[in-house]
C-alpha cells in the first residue's frame, strides 16, 4: 500500500479497493484519486464512452477503472489462496482479515504520503461476479468511517 501511496502523494485518494475474483484466489490493491478520476472521465468523454450519471458512478466506484495499482497484486497471498481447497467458503474470513489490517494500519502511514485515512473509502470488490455489490457493501462497513461508508452504500440509489 505504501508503494502505491507514494505514487499518488500529490493527489487526493478517495478510494482503496481490494479486488479479487469469484473464486477468491487472487488479491490486488486498486487506488483512485479525485485527480485521476477527473482525467479518466475527461478521456472517456473524448472517446464517447461517458454520457450519463451511471457512467460517473461506474468510473468512481468500479475498481477495474482505478488508475493506480497495476503492480499491486499480492502474489504471495494469491498463491496461498490458490493452494487452499474451496477457498470461497472462507470469503467472510478473508474480508474480516483485510478489514483488520486496514483498521490497524496507523493513520501515520497515510499521513506520510499526504493522505488522511478517514477520508478514504475502503472496500473489497469482485471483478467477475454478480455478488460484487453485496461484497462491497459488506466490506465497506467494516473498514471505512461510518459517514463515508453510508455515502458509498447510497451510490446506486438514484439509479433505481
Amino acid at each position: 500500500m505504501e508503494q502505491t501511496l507514494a505514487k499518488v502523494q500529490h493527489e487526493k485518494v478517495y478510494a482503496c479497493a481490494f479486488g479479487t475474483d469469484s473464486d477468491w484466489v487472487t488479491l490486488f490493491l486498486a487506488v483512485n484519486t479525485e485527480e485521476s478520476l477527473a482525467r479518466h472521465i475527461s478521456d472517456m468523454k473524448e472517446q464517447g464512452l461517458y454520457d450519463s450519471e451511471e457512467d460517473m458512478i461506474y468510473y468512481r466506484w468500479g475498481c477495474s477503472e482505478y488508475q493506480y495499482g497495476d503492480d499491486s497484486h499480492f502474489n504471495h497471498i494469491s498463491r496461498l489462496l490458490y493452494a487452499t481447497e474451496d477457498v470461497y467458503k472462507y470469503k467472510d474470513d478473508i474480508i474480516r482479515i483485510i478489514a483488520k489490517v486496514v483498521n490497524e494500519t496507523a493513520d501515520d502511514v497515510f499521513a506520510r504520503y499526504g493522505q488522511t485515512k478517514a477520508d478514504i473509502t475502503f472496500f473489497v470488490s469482485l471483478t467477475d461476479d454478480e455478488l460484487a455489490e453485496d461484497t462491497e457493501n459488506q466490506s465497506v462497513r467494516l473498514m471505512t468511517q461510518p459517514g463515508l461508508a453510508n455515502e458509498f452504500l447510497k451510490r446506486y440509489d438514484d439509479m433505481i
Side-chain angles (χ1 to χ4, degrees), residues 7-157:
K7 289 179 186 176
V8 299
Q9 64 184 330
H10 301 294
E11 298 184 21
K12 171 77 173 100
V13 173
Y14 72 86
C16 179
F18 297 87
T20 188
D21 57 18
S22 59
D23 293 326
W24 290 81
V25 296
T26 62
L27 187 63
F28 65 92
L29 175 71
V31 171
N32 218 19
T33 66
E34 295 294 352
E35 295 83 354
S36 65
L37 175 64
R39 288 189 303 269
H40 190 53
I41 287 174
S42 177
D43 291 345
M44 294 299 99
K45 284 180 178 179
E46 286 178 19
Q47 296 174 41
L49 298 173
Y50 179 98
D51 59 13
S52 71
E53 185 63 27
E54 288 179 25
D55 291 338
M56 170 57 115
I57 293 166
Y58 173 70
Y59 291 129
R60 183 163 193 81
W61 299 116
C63 71
S64 61
E65 296 293 324
Y66 286 6
Q67 303 300 298
Y68 300 101
D70 290 342
D71 57 352
S72 65
H73 283 60
F74 299 111
N75 293 329
H76 57 294
I77 296 172
S78 295
R79 277 193 295 276
L80 176 66
L81 294 171
Y82 187 76
T84 303
E85 191 172 316
D86 197 20
V87 73
Y88 181 82
K89 67 183 177 183
Y90 302 109
K91 69 179 184 63
D92 292 333
D93 294 326
I94 294 168
I95 291 170
R96 280 192 293 277
I97 291 167
I98 292 170
K100 182 176 177 17
V101 170
V102 168
N103 291 330
E104 292 181 359
T105 300
D107 295 346
D108 297 356
V109 171
F110 295 88
R112 277 195 296 260
Y113 302 100
Q115 307 299 328
T116 304
K117 182 179 172 184
D119 293 339
I120 301 172
T121 301
F122 296 90
F123 60 99
V124 175
S125 186
L126 302 172
T127 59
D128 64 346
D129 198 298
E130 292 178 9
L131 297 176
E133 185 178 347
D134 291 337
T135 300
E136 292 166 357
N137 291 350
Q138 172 193 356
S139 63
V140 75
R141 290 180 182 109
L142 297 175
M143 60 184 105
T144 300
Q145 294 294 321
L148 285 178
N150 288 336
E151 286 303 311
F152 181 83
L153 294 170
K154 294 184 223 174
R155 66 197 181 282
Y156 300 122
D157 285 358

